[in-house]
Amino acid sequence: SKKAEVPIGNLVDDDKSAISFAEDLLAASMQHVSTKGGIEWKEIAKVEKVPIEVTVANVTGHRGPLQDPSNSNPLVRASIPLYGISVEEMYKFLISKEGYMFIDPDADPDDFGRALMGPYEWKERSEGSNISVEYSSLKMPCPLSNRDYVVLNAFDKTSRSFLSASCYSPSVSKTASPYDEAPQSSAGCCSGPVRVAFYGAYSVGEAEAAQSSEEECCVLKVVQYVDINGWTMSSLNKHANVFWFKTFIKRAQERYPSKKENQE
């Protein structure tokens, strides 16, 4: 088996570098969601019959702070069946403002679509695919410092995927961050913000059950890597990521439940 490579922290300063990073993310995500990618996954929990799996992550970003071999934050994934919605409808929802808040209810809705760079047309993919660099923030309860992200967001209509990963864009964000190799002086109690390292892939596909079910259904495949930084232990990063999956799976299946299972 091989380690899962997670591209984080790539330099993005124009349309060419944005597209290049998006291509890296797409290639990585296809391996991460596949059952035949040669990566060994371990089931650590099950929520609503949906397994949550983890694997060792090998961060490969240009300027990512996470290339230290001692870093042990895992990559986490789940495949969530959703009912009463088609693949196309789910992808349209996923890339909308409502979908943005559905993925992260704690996010600031005003951050949605606020491009610092772009959007750039992703010409190599289907029409409607685009890429941008965006900023978002996350309020944390004291004594934790607030967190923020500078991410490249890529929407690929061909694979019906939303890809998001921390990037290094000094032209739009000069704030000290791990990507600048600067000390995190703002990592103290109730201060901040502290820059988060993040990778997420959200891909909508046909559900195997759709062939034998009278219900319309699709599957949402989700993969995430999180390092909330600020001198946090890797165990806390793993806990935060897995906890998000547990709550998200419940939220997703409450929104798109199986009528057949409810009747049973």
Side-chain angles (χ1 to χ4, degrees):
S1 63
K2 59 184 179 181
K3 288 186 177 181
E5 293 195 349
V6 183
I8 289 178
N10 285 26
L11 176 65
V12 177
D13 56 4
D14 56 20
D15 59 338
K16 290 183 180 179
S17 54
I19 292 171
S20 176
F21 190 24
E23 294 283 358
D24 288 349
L25 294 173
L26 180 61
S29 71
M30 291 297 100
Q31 285 201 333
H32 299 161
V33 301
S34 174
T35 57
K36 302 176 182 179
I39 299 169
E40 184 177 349
W41 294 86
K42 178 182 178 182
E43 182 179 322
I44 60 166
K46 187 173 285 188
V47 178
E48 306 294 335
K49 301 180 182 179
V50 176
I52 299 174
E53 299 177 305
V54 301
T55 191
V56 176
N58 179 33
V59 177
T60 59
H62 295 171
R63 292 180 63 94
L66 311 172
Q67 297 179 46
D68 182 345
S70 66
N71 184 283
S72 57
N73 297 328
L75 189 64
V76 185
R77 76 173 185 179
S79 295
I80 310 163
L82 306 174
Y83 297 87
I85 188 167
S86 69
V87 172
E88 291 294 339
E89 289 173 334
M90 186 60 202
Y91 177 67
K92 288 180 181 178
F93 170 73
L94 191 66
I95 65 176
S96 68
K97 186 172 186 176
E98 190 179 3
Y100 176 80
M101 297 306 299
F102 178 63
I103 292 174
D104 187 2
D106 296 324
D108 185 341
D110 291 336
D111 287 337
F112 174 76
R114 184 185 290 176
L116 301 176
M117 294 175 59
Y120 304 119
E121 183 182 355
W122 197 352
K123 295 179 181 179
E124 292 79 4
R125 311 301 290 174
S126 300
E127 185 178 354
S129 301
N130 60 77
I131 304 164
S132 60
V133 173
E134 299 182 15
Y135 174 89
S136 62
S137 57
L138 178 64
K139 290 185 177 180
M140 303 285 282
C142 269
L144 296 176
S145 304
N146 291 333
R147 262 57 180 174
D148 70 356
Y149 313 73
V150 172
V151 291
L152 179 133
N153 286 337
F155 301 95
D156 176 27
K157 193 174 180 181
T158 305
S159 64
R160 302 185 188 90
S161 299
F162 165 40
L163 310 168
S164 183
S166 297
C167 63
Y168 175 61
S169 298
S171 63
V172 296
S173 176
K174 299 184 184 301
T175 307
S177 77
Y179 309 119
D180 302 322
E181 299 174 356
Q184 295 199 52
S185 58
S186 59
C189 175
C190 296
S191 61
V194 174
R195 186 64 46 83
V196 170
F198 177 78
Y199 159 85
Y202 314 86
S203 179
V204 186
E206 300 285 351
E208 293 181 7
Q211 299 175 357
S212 58
S213 173
E214 296 179 359
E215 290 185 86
E216 190 167 39
C217 60
C218 64
V219 61
L220 176 59
K221 297 182 178 181
V222 182
V223 189
Q224 283 190 170
Y225 175 97
V226 177
D227 190 329
I228 60 177
N229 285 315
W231 313 115
T232 53
M233 297 179 293
S234 60
S235 58
L236 179 58
N237 292 309
K238 177 181 177 181
H239 173 78
N241 202 2
V242 171
F243 178 77
W244 178 89
F245 270 88
K246 289 180 178 179
T247 57
F248 180 73
I249 291 169
K250 289 182 179 179
R251 189 162 67 247
Q253 295 203 327
E254 285 173 1
R255 186 181 180 99
Y256 301 108
S258 169
K259 294 180 182 178
K260 183 178 179 181
E261 287 188 6
N262 288 342
Q263 289 172 353
E264 292 175 354

